[in-house]
Coordinates of all heavy atoms in Angstrom, one line a residue:
S157 N -3.7 4.3 5.5 CA -4.1 2.9 5.3 C -2.9 2.0 5.5 O -3.0 1.0 6.1 CB -4.7 2.8 3.9 OG -5.0 1.4 3.7
N158 N -1.8 2.4 4.8 CA -0.6 1.5 4.9 C 0.0 1.5 6.3 O 0.4 0.4 6.8 CB 0.5 2.0 3.9 CG 0.2 1.6 2.5 OD1 0.1 0.4 2.2 ND2 0.1 2.6 1.6
L159 N 0.1 2.7 7.0 CA 0.7 2.8 8.3 C -0.1 2.1 9.4 O 0.5 1.5 10.3 CB 1.0 4.2 8.6 CG 2.2 4.9 8.0 CD1 2.4 6.3 8.5 CD2 3.5 4.1 8.2
L160 N -1.4 2.3 9.3 CA -2.2 1.8 10.4 C -2.9 0.5 10.1 O -2.8 -0.5 10.9 CB -3.3 2.9 10.8 CG -2.7 4.2 11.2 CD1 -3.8 5.2 11.5 CD2 -1.8 4.1 12.4
L161 N -3.7 0.4 9.0 CA -4.4 -0.8 8.7 C -3.5 -1.9 8.3 O -3.6 -3.0 8.9 CB -5.5 -0.5 7.7 CG -6.4 -1.6 7.3 CD1 -7.2 -2.1 8.5 CD2 -7.3 -1.2 6.1
V162 N -2.7 -1.7 7.3 CA -1.9 -2.8 6.8 C -0.8 -3.2 7.8 O -0.7 -4.4 8.1 CB -1.2 -2.4 5.5 CG1 -0.3 -3.5 4.9 CG2 -2.2 -1.9 4.4
L163 N -0.1 -2.3 8.4 CA 0.9 -2.6 9.4 C 0.3 -3.3 10.6 O 0.8 -4.2 11.2 CB 1.7 -1.4 9.8 CG 3.0 -1.6 10.6 CD1 3.9 -2.5 9.8 CD2 3.6 -0.3 10.9
G164 N -0.9 -2.8 11.0 CA -1.6 -3.4 12.2 C -2.0 -4.8 11.9 O -1.9 -5.7 12.7
M165 N -2.5 -5.0 10.7 CA -3.0 -6.4 10.3 C -1.8 -7.3 10.2 O -1.9 -8.5 10.6 CB -3.7 -6.4 9.0 CG -5.1 -5.7 9.1 SD -5.9 -5.6 7.5 CE -6.3 -7.4 7.2
C166 N -0.6 -6.8 9.8 CA 0.6 -7.7 9.7 C 1.0 -8.1 11.1 O 1.4 -9.2 11.4 CB 1.7 -6.9 9.0 SG 1.5 -6.7 7.3
F167 N 1.1 -7.1 12.0 CA 1.5 -7.4 13.4 C 0.5 -8.3 14.1 O 0.9 -9.2 14.8 CB 1.6 -6.1 14.2 CG 2.8 -5.2 13.9 CD1 2.9 -3.9 14.4 CD2 3.8 -5.7 13.1 CE1 4.0 -3.1 14.1 CE2 4.9 -4.9 12.7 CZ 5.0 -3.6 13.3
F168 N -0.8 -8.1 13.8 CA -1.8 -9.0 14.5 C -1.7 -10.4 13.9 O -1.8 -11.4 14.7 CB -3.2 -8.4 14.3 CG -4.3 -9.2 14.9 CD1 -4.5 -9.0 16.3 CD2 -5.1 -10.0 14.2 CE1 -5.5 -9.7 16.9 CE2 -6.1 -10.8 14.8 CZ -6.3 -10.6 16.2
A169 N -1.7 -10.5 12.6 CA -1.6 -11.9 12.0 C -0.4 -12.6 12.4 O -0.4 -13.8 12.7 CB -1.7 -11.7 10.4
G170 N 0.8 -11.9 12.4 CA 2.0 -12.6 12.8 C 2.0 -12.9 14.3 O 2.5 -14.0 14.7
G171 N 1.3 -12.1 15.1 CA 1.2 -12.3 16.5 C 0.3 -13.5 16.9 O 0.4 -14.0 18.0
M172 N -0.5 -14.0 16.0 CA -1.3 -15.1 16.2 C -0.5 -16.4 16.1 O -0.9 -17.5 16.6 CB -2.5 -15.2 15.2 CG -3.5 -14.1 15.4 SD -4.8 -14.2 14.2 CE -5.7 -15.6 14.8
R173 N 0.7 -16.3 15.6 CA 1.6 -17.5 15.4 C 2.8 -17.3 16.3 O 3.4 -18.3 16.8 CB 2.0 -17.7 14.0 CG 2.8 -18.9 13.7 CD 3.1 -19.1 12.3 NE 4.0 -20.2 12.0 CZ 4.5 -20.5 10.9 NH1 4.2 -19.8 9.8 NH2 5.3 -21.5 10.7
F174 N 3.3 -16.1 16.4 CA 4.5 -15.9 17.2 C 4.2 -14.9 18.4 O 3.5 -14.0 18.2 CB 5.6 -15.2 16.3 CG 6.1 -16.1 15.2 CD1 5.4 -16.0 13.9 CD2 7.1 -17.0 15.3 CE1 5.8 -16.8 12.9 CE2 7.5 -17.8 14.3 CZ 6.9 -17.7 13.1
S175 N 4.9 -15.2 19.5 CA 4.7 -14.3 20.6 C 5.3 -12.9 20.3 O 4.7 -11.9 20.7 CB 5.4 -14.9 21.9 OG 5.4 -14.0 23.0
E176 N 6.4 -12.9 19.7 CA 7.1 -11.7 19.3 C 7.8 -11.9 17.9 O 8.3 -13.0 17.7 CB 8.1 -11.2 20.3 CG 7.5 -10.6 21.5 CD 8.6 -10.0 22.5 OE1 9.8 -10.3 22.2 OE2 8.3 -9.3 23.4
Q177 N 7.7 -11.0 17.1 CA 8.4 -11.0 15.8 C 9.4 -9.9 15.7 O 9.1 -8.7 16.0 CB 7.4 -10.9 14.6 CG 6.6 -12.2 14.4 CD 5.8 -12.1 13.1 OE1 4.8 -11.4 13.1 NE2 6.1 -12.9 12.1

Side-chain angles (χ1 to χ4, degrees):
S157 174
N158 281 302
L159 284 183
L160 301 180
L161 183 61
V162 181
L163 193 60
M165 292 178 67
C166 291
F167 287 171
F168 182 80
M172 295 181 69
R173 184 178 175 187
F174 297 90
S175 175
E176 286 183 347
Q177 284 186 290

